[in-house]
Amino acid sequence: NNNGNDNNNNGGNGGSSGGNSGNSDDSEENENEADNNSSALSISASSSTDGSIPTSKVEQLCKEHKAPLPEDMLTMIRTSNGVSAAVLMRWFDLANSKSFFMKHVVSKFAFFRNRALMDASFSRRLFTDISIDVALLSFIEFMRVRARSPSSSSSSSSSSSKNSKKNSINNNKKMYKKSGGAGPAPPSFWDEWEFFACDILAAIGMNAAIVSLVSPAIRTRGSIGLNAFTATRKRGRSVAFLTISAQVGACCYAMGFVMQTLAEVLYDARTSSSSSSSIGEGKMATAQRVGKHFGSFAATSSSPRQHAVLAVERYVEKKVAGAAMVTTSVVLRASNSVFGSREFQKQQRQHIVA
């Protein structure tokens, strides 16, 4: 509008050009909406009365939308003699998404893809949990480094006594991470960046495992399909809950063990004067203890809380939609992450004291 007014004042046709550009933008949006509506109509026209699309029509629709199906999905469709129209529409959205994460990560890996096809909000939930947990870990590390800085420790006697308590906790954490560690923890972040980096990687991996295992998924060749939200009987839901919690615990145990071992190897390779970077028995025992702590906490706390959050979200989705639903989901998951982080830190301090 400003461009149009300026051009009009100069005696030009800026107003008409601005109006034409606005009309062209509107026409492009209308064309996109028309394309989406036409694709939805073509899929609905190809579906049967029960909402499924026969195998003969699926490949034709995939060619029209330039979204070829993966081999395991083709096998599933041929075995079941068709696929749900909603699942096929979600696949087209994934395959043609402009988001790099959706198109090249979620759609390429069956573990994530089968859940995104079952639940349209899965990718948002996964990204929300990972982002919040990484932000929390970064904030905790920032406060820890700030508390250990000389400027903050020399501000006043009361603050120095508080910092000394924090330093003692940080030293204990360091001893918990590095068995046989000699001396106090290094005061600089860069002296122990390996542990923070591996903590971030572990948080990403564990959140991805927890959110994915708890979420329902479509059944393809080789998938289990057992889920507490898709089981029809109460006994089946109980078995699914216990099975998924055990899987969550096993995944998080492996993640904690591997990341702790990796942090030890990187730290020793950087600080050790010798060329050997082998892991001793003491450090291996520490890695196993960290893995057990991660696994037990995930199975007994993270998995039940994730089930509860997802159950509330699925209920709220039936009542509200749009921005209200997204806001509710983010608030729920942020509260869950903060509570889980506090509980994990509390248990970690108890393990250190023990």
Side-chain angles (χ1 to χ4, degrees):
N1 289 332
N2 290 333
N3 291 334
N5 291 332
D6 292 340
N7 290 331
N8 284 332
N9 292 332
N10 293 329
N13 295 324
S16 61
S17 64
N20 291 333
S21 63
N23 293 333
S24 64
D25 292 339
D26 293 339
S27 63
E28 288 179 1
E29 292 179 359
N30 292 333
E31 288 176 2
N32 292 332
E33 291 179 0
D35 291 339
N36 293 332
N37 293 333
S38 62
S39 62
L41 287 173
S42 63
I43 292 176
S44 61
S46 302
S47 61
S48 60
T49 55
D50 60 351
S52 62
I53 302 175
T55 307
S56 58
K57 295 287 185 180
V58 169
E59 296 183 4
Q60 178 183 351
L61 290 171
C62 289
K63 289 180 181 179
E64 292 177 0
H65 289 79
K66 298 180 181 180
L69 286 168
E71 191 62 32
D72 60 333
M73 284 190 66
L74 279 174
T75 304
M76 180 268 293
I77 292 171
R78 289 166 183 164
T79 302
S80 57
N81 296 322
V83 67
S84 168
V87 170
L88 194 61
M89 279 291 292
R90 287 172 189 157
W91 164 247
F92 292 154
D93 292 339
L94 278 179
N96 299 317
S97 175
K98 295 180 180 179
S99 170
F100 178 86
F101 178 75
M102 297 283 287
K103 188 172 183 178
H104 298 284
V105 178
V106 176
S107 65
K108 300 297 182 183
F109 295 93
F111 184 74
F112 299 117
R113 184 195 68 226
N114 293 347
R115 286 157 176 82
L117 294 179
M118 185 75 176
D119 183 5
S121 302
F122 167 76
S123 300
R124 174 180 54 78
R125 291 179 178 126
L126 179 63
F127 182 76
T128 300
D129 264 26
I130 291 176
S131 302
I132 292 174
D133 226 31
V134 169
L136 275 175
L137 279 175
S138 301
F139 176 75
I140 292 171
E141 181 66 16
F142 170 76
M143 296 302 295
R144 187 173 69 90
V145 172
R146 184 181 178 184
R148 287 165 50 181
S149 63
S151 58
S152 61
S153 61
S154 60
S155 59
S156 63
S157 59
S158 60
S159 62
S160 69
S161 63
K162 291 180 181 178
N163 287 334
S164 64
K165 291 180 181 178
K166 292 181 180 179
N167 285 333
S168 64
I169 294 175
N170 291 326
N171 292 338
N172 288 332
K173 289 183 181 179
K174 196 66 178 179
M175 293 295 292
Y176 177 68
K177 287 184 175 180
K178 302 198 301 293
S179 66
S188 173
F189 166 80
W190 296 108
D191 288 335
E192 55 181 14
W193 67 267
E194 299 90 350
F195 293 96
F196 174 69
C198 289
D199 280 345
I200 293 293
L201 292 176
I204 294 173
M206 287 190 293
N207 275 282
I210 294 169
V211 175
S212 301
L213 288 171
V214 172
S215 299
I218 64 169
R219 297 195 63 176
T220 58
R221 182 179 58 181
S223 66
I224 298 175
L226 187 66
N227 189 269
F229 296 100
T230 56
T232 55
R233 299 180 180 179
K234 184 180 292 187
R235 184 165 179 250
R237 290 193 291 268
S238 301
V239 171
F241 172 78
L242 294 175
T243 303
I244 290 171
S245 296
Q247 292 175 352
V248 166
C251 287
C252 292
Y253 167 81
M255 193 67 62
F257 176 81
V258 170
M259 288 298 108
Q260 178 68 21
T261 304
L262 178 61
E264 295 284 0
V265 170
L266 293 175
Y267 181 83
D268 289 344
R270 181 173 59 85
T271 59
S272 178
S273 58
S274 62
S275 59
S276 174
S277 59
S278 59
I279 299 294
E281 293 182 0
K283 293 180 180 179
M284 186 63 70
T286 301
Q288 291 177 352
R289 187 165 64 250
V290 171
K292 289 178 181 177
H293 181 206
F294 279 27
S296 62
F297 182 82
T300 58
S301 178
S302 300
S303 178
R305 285 186 286 106
Q306 188 67 224
H307 276 89
V309 168
L310 186 55
V312 173
E313 285 179 333
R314 289 165 67 91
Y315 174 78
V316 174
E317 281 179 350
K318 300 176 182 179
K319 304 296 182 181
V320 297
M325 174 56 218
V326 174
T327 303
T328 303
S329 175
V330 171
V331 170
L332 277 173
R333 293 188 173 274
S335 303
N336 178 48
S337 295
V338 172
F339 176 81
S341 178
R342 294 184 64 180
E343 288 299 308
F344 184 81
Q345 295 294 330
K346 185 188 299 183
Q347 288 192 15
Q348 192 176 40
R349 286 193 290 270
Q350 292 174 355
H351 278 278
I352 293 169
V353 174

